[in-house]
Amino acid sequence: MQFGSFGSRTNAEALAARIAPYSPVVIVPENQMHKVRLNSSFGSEKEAKQAGKAIPFGSIVLPASR
């Protein structure tokens, strides 16, 4: 699950700090971007979307291979 993608690591860290009280997140550097992602995996897309509803931030569900 991804919450944001930033050119600035500082901005990624700020969002990660806001989400951290709800769930552990990681910042993944990829293609000169800093992606804020949930540090968890789920058995299905449905489970991931359900978990996303419990966190008060917009997110998108990404396949595990990303």
Side-chain angles (χ1 to χ4, degrees), residues 14-65:
L15 179 59
R18 291 178 48 214
I19 296 170
Y22 300 96
S23 190
V25 294
V26 294
I27 298 172
V28 179
E30 186 177 291
N31 298 326
Q32 299 179 343
M33 300 299 287
H34 305 280
K35 300 181 180 211
V36 181
R37 295 184 177 162
L38 193 67
N39 193 18
S40 298
S41 59
F42 300 93
S44 70
E45 183 177 343
K46 182 179 179 181
E47 287 178 18
K49 287 181 178 182
Q50 196 101 11
K53 290 178 183 177
I55 301 171
F57 294 89
S59 64
I60 58 172
V61 175
L62 300 172
S65 62

Side-chain angles (χ1 to χ4, degrees), residues 1-21:
M1 187 174 312
Q2 182 169 304
F3 296 96
S5 183
F6 301 90
S8 162
R9 180 159 180 102
T10 301
N11 291 342
E13 289 171 349
L15 179 59
R18 291 178 48 214
I19 296 170

